[in-house]
Amino acid sequence: MIPPQEASARRREIEDKLKQEEETLSFIRDSLEKSDQLTKNMVSILSSFESRLMKLENSIIPVHKQTENLQRLQENVEKTLSCLDHVISYYHVASDTEKIIREGPTGRLEEYLGSMAKIQKAVEYFQDNSPDSPELNKVKLLFERGKESLESEFRSLMTRHSKVVSPVLILDLISGDDELEVQEEVVLEHLPESALQDVVRISRWLVEYGRNHDFMNVYYQIRSSQLDRSIKGLKEHFRKSSSSSGVPYSPAIPNKRKDTPTKKPVKRPGHEHDFRVKHLSEALNDKHGPVAGRDDMLDVETDAYIHCVSAFVKLAQSEYQLLTDIIPEHHQKKTFDSLIQDALDGLMLEGENIVSAARKAIIRHDFSTVLTVFPILRHLKQTKPEFDHVLQGTAASTKNKLPSLITSMETIGAKALEDFADNIKNDPDKEYNMPKDGTVHELTSNAILFLQQLLDFQETAGAMLASQETSSSATSYSSEFSKRLLSTYICKVLGNLQLNLLSKSKVYEDPALSAIFLHNNYNYILKSLEKSELIQLVAVTQKTAERSYREHIEQQIQTYQRSWLKVTDYISEKNLPVFQSGVKLRDKERQMIKERFKGFNDGLEELCKIQKAWAIPDTEQRDKIRQVQKNIVKETYGAFLQRYNNVPFTKNPEKYVKYQVDQVGDMIDRLFDTSA
């Protein structure tokens, strides 16, 4: 049982807690009441605020909408004013630009093109918005006038600044300056840089805005004329230089030369040998008497043509480089094709004239003109790769011009070679044309000279002959094939020459002179072959040619030696009378001995007199023939004298013994010496 004190204390504790709880409850109740009051007040405030906001919104929104409308109206007004200003500006373009267009673009191209841009925009505006307005016609007319002025300015710039390239500069372009230690490339400036920039600007404007390609025709016509005149000027330079100094020359580029330039001969482009027509004309001209000055003129024309061909290639390359800056890409090839036509046609026409002249010369057997074909053809074939490169993209007819000319020259050259061989074979045996001293015939020396000159043109001549071959193997002939053909041709000419010489030798009544004639000609042919590369070329198809000529030479020497038999037969031992020593000679025997002496003396004198006027140009052969003949005659005559020196066959021995052995040798030593 809980004690009363503890129960009382416990009760008081509980009562205290209860009191505290009641107080807390009362506080919470008061707080809730205050919160409710505050909530009511807040709801009232918010309701009032919402009401005011609604009133404000209802007032602001109409104002905002009005403001937006006003702003939109303002923007539209500004745009309208701007458009009006822009449109109005088109109506003023004509008046603003008319003065500039009227004065032209010279010296003010940038400003002029700016005005043309304004006019073009005005044209486009009126065409789109007011196609029937008079303003359209006005700006159109102004635009056309401006375009014509630009075209005129283009022509004027091209005409004023396009200059003919000087011959000296062309020769430097072809050959370069050989005297410079460091070779520098020669660059052609066809147009000054400022003029070039203006021309380029105008051409681009005309293509893009002018819708006019007529300026391209103007361009190629002007440049074509300059190209053609440049090449013709080079040709004229050769003529004038040859007439004044004998050789054309090319001074060094002035700003590179340290010393005063002197005249120097120009190397023919691509040539290792300096071929001169005048050296060959005598060999080919069956008249053997060319007109003075004609050969020099042929030489000048040949050199000039060869240089003009090289000049065309270099100048055409330079023209194409210039053209690429001015002419639109898709028009460049066609314009270039038109540009080069006059100069190219001139070269081809001149080449065909050379072929035509050669054809006529062959008909009349005058081969001097044909010679121009050889160096020209060689140069054309050497230059063909550059030609083909330059003419890339041109029309097929343009590309085929050079191959056609080469074919014509090869054909006429082959015809000339064959006709020359036939002419050697058929050269008439004119008695008045035969050398009276039996020396080398002019036909021989000319034929050999011609063959020697062919050495400078082995590939060209071989290709000429090969071009006429119809066999399938000749369609792509090799250099070896051409060499064999040329060797065969040379052997043919030599064979024809030998046959003709044999025929000509029969003109001589004296067989000995005929033998000397053949000996001289055969020996000349052999020595000429040996001194040049001809012997190696002949040996390609005829291995025994050298031995054959030596046999022919020896055979003619033996034939000549037989002419002395009528002299030595008088005193040869087999024909001497037989008599006994110490027995007095009978009259008949004495008379026979006298006749032997007289026959020898007369024969010796006659032969020496005749043969003294004959000639053997080859010193070695002349000495050899005289020495052999001298030994034979001296030996025979010495034996004859020894036999009859002490035989009393006459009272006047000095009448019959006219010569001593050494005297006979001296007489023979003077044979073949017209100066003795």
Side-chain angles (χ1 to χ4, degrees), residues 277-286 288 290 295 368 446 449:
V277 174
K278 61 184 178 182
H279 292 165
L280 280 178
S281 61
E282 294 179 0
L284 292 175
N285 192 336
D286 60 357
H288 310 303
D295 302 320
S368 58
N446 289 342
L449 180 58

Side-chain angles (χ1 to χ4, degrees), residues 18 42 51 87 138 190 252 254 302 331 347 383 474 485 551 608 632:
L18 180 61
M42 181 59 69
S51 175
V87 169
K138 186 181 293 184
H190 294 291
T302 301
H331 292 282
L347 285 177
T383 314
L485 284 178
E551 291 174 354
C608 287
I632 294 173

Side-chain angles (χ1 to χ4, degrees), residues 114-299:
S115 297
M116 289 298 294
K118 292 179 181 179
I119 296 171
Q120 184 182 8
K121 289 180 180 179
V123 170
E124 293 172 353
Y125 170 79
F126 288 121
Q127 283 178 335
D128 294 338
N129 298 279
S130 184
D132 298 328
S133 65
E135 285 78 8
L136 176 61
N137 294 331
K138 186 181 293 184
V139 290
K140 266 189 175 181
L141 184 63
L142 198 59
F143 183 82
E144 291 300 321
R145 188 188 305 169
K147 186 170 69 172
E148 290 175 1
S149 295
L150 285 172
E151 292 172 354
S152 177
E153 178 69 5
F154 182 89
R155 180 189 295 273
S156 176
L157 286 171
M158 291 299 303
T159 303
R160 288 201 314 269
H161 298 288
S162 291
K163 305 297 182 183
V164 174
V165 183
S166 70
V168 170
L169 187 56
I170 294 176
L171 290 174
D172 287 329
L173 185 67
I174 296 172
S175 306
D177 186 7
D178 297 332
E179 298 181 13
L180 291 176
E181 294 181 0
V182 179
Q183 184 71 32
E184 295 186 23
E185 183 182 0
V186 179
V187 179
L188 296 180
E189 185 183 64
H190 294 291
L191 297 173
E193 185 61 29
S194 59
L196 177 60
Q197 291 178 359
D198 287 349
V199 167
V200 171
R201 288 289 309 276
I202 294 173
S203 68
R204 290 177 179 174
W205 189 93
L206 290 173
V207 171
E208 186 174 356
Y209 303 109
R211 306 291 192 272
N212 190 342
H213 296 163
D214 291 344
F215 77 95
M216 299 181 195
N217 296 331
V218 172
Y219 177 84
Y220 91 71
Q221 288 168 1
I222 293 174
R223 295 308 307 169
S224 175
S225 174
Q226 300 303 327
L227 175 61
D228 191 40
R229 289 169 60 193
S230 296
I231 294 176
K232 288 178 179 177
L234 177 63
K235 185 176 180 180
E236 188 63 27
H237 171 76
F238 269 81
R239 290 176 177 170
K240 290 181 179 179
S241 297
S242 62
S243 62
S244 61
S245 62
V247 290
Y249 70 98
S250 168
I253 302 172
N255 61 358
K256 297 180 182 177
R257 175 65 67 90
K258 296 179 181 179
D259 303 323
T260 302
T262 56
K263 292 183 179 180
K264 60 179 181 180
V266 178
K267 293 182 179 179
R268 182 172 295 159
H271 285 217
E272 296 178 359
H273 303 283
D274 189 19
F275 174 82
R276 295 297 174 190
V277 174
K278 61 184 178 182
H279 292 165
L280 280 178
S281 61
E282 294 179 0
L284 292 175
N285 192 336
D286 60 357
K287 299 177 182 179
H288 310 303
V291 179
R294 177 174 179 267
D295 302 320
D296 289 335
M297 182 58 67
L298 282 174
D299 183 38

Side-chain angles (χ1 to χ4, degrees), residues 331-596:
H331 292 282
Q332 289 173 2
K333 295 294 184 182
K334 183 178 179 181
T335 304
F336 180 69
D337 196 341
S338 301
L339 189 154
I340 62 174
Q341 284 304 314
D342 286 349
L344 182 59
D345 286 345
L347 285 177
M348 296 302 108
L349 178 61
E350 192 171 348
E352 290 297 338
N353 289 340
I354 292 171
V355 173
S356 178
R359 186 177 292 111
K360 293 177 182 178
I362 291 173
I363 294 174
R364 64 177 183 268
H365 290 178
D366 173 15
F367 293 90
S368 58
T369 307
V370 182
L371 294 174
T372 57
V373 172
F374 283 84
I376 291 173
L377 176 59
R378 180 173 67 179
H379 185 66
L380 289 179
K381 296 180 79 170
Q382 289 174 344
T383 314
K384 186 176 181 297
E386 288 186 89
F387 244 99
D388 293 341
H389 181 72
V390 170
L391 300 183
Q392 281 182 352
T394 57
S397 58
T398 302
K399 295 177 182 176
N400 292 333
K401 287 180 179 180
L402 180 64
S404 177
L405 178 59
I406 288 176
T407 300
S408 297
M409 286 194 171
E410 283 188 332
T411 302
I412 202 67
K415 178 69 169 63
L417 291 175
E418 292 301 322
D419 205 68
F420 177 76
D422 293 339
N423 195 56
I424 292 295
K425 181 179 179 180
N426 301 320
D427 188 70
D429 305 327
K430 299 175 182 178
E431 185 175 351
Y432 66 84
N433 198 34
M434 294 294 291
K436 301 192 182 304
D437 57 0
T439 189
V440 178
H441 196 280
E442 195 170 15
L443 180 69
T444 302
S445 60
N446 289 342
I448 293 299
L449 180 58
F450 172 63
L451 295 180
Q452 287 174 336
Q453 295 290 352
L454 281 185
L455 290 175
D456 287 345
F457 303 96
Q458 291 186 48
E459 292 185 8
T460 304
M464 284 178 176
L465 298 170
S467 68
Q468 304 307 302
E469 292 292 314
T470 56
S471 63
S472 58
S473 62
T475 55
S476 58
Y477 52 85
S478 63
S479 58
E480 186 62 30
F481 177 74
S482 300
K483 190 174 183 180
R484 290 188 65 83
L485 284 178
L486 184 58
S487 175
T488 301
Y489 171 77
I490 292 174
C491 291
K492 177 182 178 180
V493 172
L494 293 175
N496 290 350
L497 178 60
Q498 187 172 337
L499 290 173
N500 199 316
L501 290 173
L502 282 171
S503 177
K504 290 182 184 300
S505 67
K506 297 174 182 177
V507 172
Y508 296 111
E509 296 179 359
D510 191 334
L513 181 55
S514 178
I516 290 296
F517 171 76
L518 290 175
H519 163 272
N520 283 333
N521 283 271
Y522 292 155
N523 183 67
Y524 178 82
I525 294 172
L526 177 61
K527 290 295 177 67
S528 298
L529 293 178
E530 290 176 335
K531 288 179 181 178
S532 64
E533 298 177 14
L534 280 173
I535 193 66
Q536 289 90 346
L537 201 52
V538 169
V540 172
T541 55
Q542 196 170 20
K543 305 291 185 183
T544 61
E546 186 175 358
R547 185 180 67 188
S548 177
Y549 274 110
R550 294 193 187 281
E551 291 174 354
H552 288 319
I553 292 170
E554 189 59 36
Q555 182 181 357
Q556 298 309 317
I557 291 176
Q558 292 174 6
T559 301
Y560 162 74
Q561 289 174 344
R562 285 197 289 272
S563 69
W564 283 86
L565 290 178
K566 62 182 180 181
V567 176
T568 57
D569 278 352
Y570 282 106
I571 59 175
S572 62
E573 187 174 352
K574 63 181 180 178
N575 295 326
L576 294 178
V578 180
F579 59 90
Q580 296 179 355
S581 178
V583 179
K584 185 178 180 181
L585 296 175
R586 292 176 295 177
D587 291 342
K588 183 178 180 180
E589 292 174 336
R590 286 197 296 272
Q591 186 61 34
M592 185 176 293
I593 294 173
K594 291 177 181 178
E595 290 175 356
R596 299 297 179 193

